[in-house]
Amino acid sequence: MTMEPEIVVSLNGVSKTFRDFWLRPTVVAVDALSLGVRRGEVFGLLGPNGSGKSTTIKMILGLLSPSAGEVRLFGLGPRSVAARRRLGYLPELSYLHPFLTAAETLRYYAGLCSLPRREASRRTRELLAMVGLEEVANRPVGGFSKGMARRVALASALVGRPELLVLDEPTSGLDPISTKEVKTLVKALARGGMTVLTTSHMLADAEDICDRVMILNHGKSVAEGRVAELGTSLEEFFLAKVGDVQDFALAPFLKG
Amino acid sequence: MKPYVSITLATALEVASSPLSLLVMLAAMALEVFAPVFHYHQFGDPTRMARDAALSALFTCGAVFAVFGAIRAVRREIETGTQEMALAHAVARGGFFLAKAAGVAVAFAVFAAAVSGTAVTMFTGAAIGGAIAEQTAQLARVYGPCVAAGVAAIVLPLVLAAALNRFFRFRFVLTAFFIAAGVSVAGGAVSAALSGGDCLRLVPAVVLVACPALVLLSAAAAFAVRFRANAAAALCGVVLAAMLPAMDVYYRAESLSRGGSIPLGDVALAFAAALPAVAGFLIFGIHFSLNRE
Ligand SMILES: Nc1ncnc2c1ncn2[C@@H]1O[C@H](COP(=O)(O)OP(=O)(O)OP(=O)(O)O)[C@@H](O)[C@H]1O
Ligand SMILES: [Mg+2]
């Protein structure tokens, strides 16, 4: 008998309906979604804009509560403080305190991870070097470019040496070289045993780093599987599954 | 506990580095320095004038400091998404709210200490100056130096902070805030030593007048979790209006600054009025925090 790998994140029939002031439903962002992320794998949540990727991630982190279904994080409820002690989160937009410097930002998050002072300073230096921001360590992040802010946010997610890393579009705002660096980093972290849950639009990137992917459309899972077993490229597979979503009515602009 | 201490400290520093906080603190100090001076020419009892000016500066400016400090500290985290970052850590929602409110309270304590320091200085100055003026009938010669010292206490921190910013890259507002507070407290300590500690009776009076500001602080923090800045400020206005008729519970200057034993009953009554209100608003804030998406 083989040992089943431990499930780190599990969603069971999870739905999220956003409501207006009068509690009328406005959007069904996630619809009866079930998934399981296994320890040590890189799991990709893919899907077009507005398909519910970020909403799913926020429910996993306990930032949004599901309207139906059950979310489990390390076997605990996502609102449990103990479960969140073991994860690192990179949000879709790099939310940073503009008045803190890069080094202060990392030290602040080291404090939130309860790292002792000495270790916090060491970790700060280490991570700033890793994301290539040593030279601007003492500049307030409010003045950083989008890509620089992204690097600070990524470093913040890694401060507490998490077991599970949750990345919402990790490469958005990064140039091609930085994108490649982030992919290399994620692969290295995964090899070191970290579980990674990531979202992306960049199918080629997802193909490179993910062991398993799930494709969402309109809040529902339309396909799930191991990247190695797809047979086609992820891009073809994705387009076949999501079909012709036409967000832009381009025809009138393309005439003549 | 460590995450909450980090949040409290970061919040206190954020409030202290806000230009509005510095401005309100300097305005309070200026009120304390100048308000009595204008009256010396007309009325007697300059010590009383200095005391009342200090307490009213603390109450009015303290309310502004507490309300806007708390609203800004809470709203900015919500609106810029940094709250989401914090709550993705091992941080409980209620604890996050309490740590934010505590951070604003720490900054407010520095503000109140600065205002008390100036109050003690002006009280002592008025006692000495008033006595001299009565004997010599030369008002200008006594009050001139007093006002000059007051102006210097307000301007010097700004100049010093500008220099530290220019040459050592210190943060201007934060540095000015702490230097101004430090100068004021040091001035108060020197005055207290000069006057044999008599003027220190002003301190409990100051603490009591700070109580309604703490009520407003907790109300503002709680409302800011649920409502936008303008709405939260308006609701704080309602809380203030509700408190005004009973303000004399907190205004115990007469009984506290008089000689003899301190009337503990008055002090207890003021705390009994403030504590349940502070606790109530904090519970509201925790409730709002737990239920917000
Ligand atoms: N706070 C909210 N209130 C109301 N509707 C929301 C809220 N957040 C998300 N939605 C809606 O939920 C749906 C899914 O949004 P979500 O942000 O999860 O998409 P996404 O897959 O992350 O998209 P993108 O790739 O553009 O980031 C969208 O229709 C969006 O309008
Ligand atoms: Mg998204």
PDB file of all heavy atoms in Angstrom, chain B residues 185-197:
ATOM      1  N   VAL B 185       8.557  67.883  27.411  1.00  0.00           N
ATOM      2  CA  VAL B 185       8.583  67.107  28.663  1.00  0.00           C
ATOM      3  C   VAL B 185       9.784  67.536  29.517  1.00  0.00           C
ATOM      4  O   VAL B 185       9.665  67.704  30.742  1.00  0.00           O
ATOM      5  CB  VAL B 185       8.632  65.594  28.362  1.00  0.00           C
ATOM      6  CG1 VAL B 185       8.887  64.798  29.634  1.00  0.00           C
ATOM      7  CG2 VAL B 185       7.322  65.150  27.718  1.00  0.00           C
ATOM      8  N   ALA B 186      10.930  67.758  28.858  1.00  0.00           N
ATOM      9  CA  ALA B 186      12.113  68.197  29.605  1.00  0.00           C
ATOM     10  C   ALA B 186      11.849  69.559  30.255  1.00  0.00           C
ATOM     11  O   ALA B 186      12.181  69.772  31.439  1.00  0.00           O
ATOM     12  CB  ALA B 186      13.320  68.270  28.673  1.00  0.00           C
ATOM     13  N   GLY B 187      11.220  70.461  29.503  1.00  0.00           N
ATOM     14  CA  GLY B 187      10.881  71.780  30.049  1.00  0.00           C
ATOM     15  C   GLY B 187       9.982  71.638  31.268  1.00  0.00           C
ATOM     16  O   GLY B 187      10.177  72.306  32.293  1.00  0.00           O
ATOM     17  N   GLY B 188       9.021  70.744  31.156  1.00  0.00           N
ATOM     18  CA  GLY B 188       8.101  70.501  32.269  1.00  0.00           C
ATOM     19  C   GLY B 188       8.850  69.994  33.492  1.00  0.00           C
ATOM     20  O   GLY B 188       8.593  70.428  34.622  1.00  0.00           O
ATOM     21  N   ALA B 189       9.806  69.070  33.256  1.00  0.00           N
ATOM     22  CA  ALA B 189      10.560  68.486  34.376  1.00  0.00           C
ATOM     23  C   ALA B 189      11.392  69.564  35.072  1.00  0.00           C
ATOM     24  O   ALA B 189      11.426  69.635  36.308  1.00  0.00           O
ATOM     25  CB  ALA B 189      11.454  67.357  33.867  1.00  0.00           C
ATOM     26  N   VAL B 190      12.040  70.417  34.280  1.00  0.00           N
ATOM     27  CA  VAL B 190      12.859  71.490  34.857  1.00  0.00           C
ATOM     28  C   VAL B 190      11.976  72.442  35.671  1.00  0.00           C
ATOM     29  O   VAL B 190      12.300  72.802  36.811  1.00  0.00           O
ATOM     30  CB  VAL B 190      13.604  72.261  33.738  1.00  0.00           C
ATOM     31  CG1 VAL B 190      14.255  73.517  34.290  1.00  0.00           C
ATOM     32  CG2 VAL B 190      14.624  71.351  33.069  1.00  0.00           C
ATOM     33  N   SER B 191      10.823  72.810  35.090  1.00  0.00           N
ATOM     34  CA  SER B 191       9.920  73.722  35.797  1.00  0.00           C
ATOM     35  C   SER B 191       9.449  73.111  37.100  1.00  0.00           C
ATOM     36  O   SER B 191       9.346  73.796  38.127  1.00  0.00           O
ATOM     37  CB  SER B 191       8.693  74.029  34.938  1.00  0.00           C
ATOM     38  OG  SER B 191       9.079  74.399  33.666  1.00  0.00           O
ATOM     39  N   ALA B 192       9.132  71.795  37.026  1.00  0.00           N
ATOM     40  CA  ALA B 192       8.650  71.122  38.232  1.00  0.00           C
ATOM     41  C   ALA B 192       9.728  71.165  39.315  1.00  0.00           C
ATOM     42  O   ALA B 192       9.441  71.412  40.486  1.00  0.00           O
ATOM     43  CB  ALA B 192       8.272  69.686  37.911  1.00  0.00           C
ATOM     44  N   ALA B 193      10.988  70.937  38.904  1.00  0.00           N
ATOM     45  CA  ALA B 193      12.093  70.969  39.860  1.00  0.00           C
ATOM     46  C   ALA B 193      12.237  72.375  40.440  1.00  0.00           C
ATOM     47  O   ALA B 193      12.404  72.556  41.650  1.00  0.00           O
ATOM     48  CB  ALA B 193      13.382  70.526  39.182  1.00  0.00           C
ATOM     49  N   LEU B 194      12.145  73.416  39.575  1.00  0.00           N
ATOM     50  CA  LEU B 194      12.288  74.808  40.022  1.00  0.00           C
ATOM     51  C   LEU B 194      11.210  75.198  41.011  1.00  0.00           C
ATOM     52  O   LEU B 194      11.468  75.886  41.989  1.00  0.00           O
ATOM     53  CB  LEU B 194      12.228  75.755  38.816  1.00  0.00           C
ATOM     54  CG  LEU B 194      13.476  75.830  37.946  1.00  0.00           C
ATOM     55  CD1 LEU B 194      13.251  76.818  36.808  1.00  0.00           C
ATOM     56  CD2 LEU B 194      14.673  76.242  38.799  1.00  0.00           C
ATOM     57  N   SER B 195       9.984  74.736  40.746  1.00  0.00           N
ATOM     58  CA  SER B 195       8.867  75.182  41.581  1.00  0.00           C
ATOM     59  C   SER B 195       8.630  74.236  42.747  1.00  0.00           C
ATOM     60  O   SER B 195       7.612  74.308  43.414  1.00  0.00           O
ATOM     61  CB  SER B 195       7.604  75.283  40.732  1.00  0.00           C
ATOM     62  OG  SER B 195       7.181  73.984  40.397  1.00  0.00           O
ATOM     63  N   GLY B 196       9.551  73.301  42.963  1.00  0.00           N
ATOM     64  CA  GLY B 196       9.390  72.375  44.084  1.00  0.00           C
ATOM     65  C   GLY B 196       8.271  71.368  43.877  1.00  0.00           C
ATOM     66  O   GLY B 196       7.719  70.851  44.838  1.00  0.00           O
ATOM     67  N   GLY B 197       7.907  71.109  42.634  1.00  0.00           N
ATOM     68  CA  GLY B 197       6.945  70.045  42.349  1.00  0.00           C
ATOM     69  C   GLY B 197       5.497  70.427  42.555  1.00  0.00           C
ATOM     70  O   GLY B 197       4.603  69.625  42.337  1.00  0.00           O
TER      71      GLY B 197
END
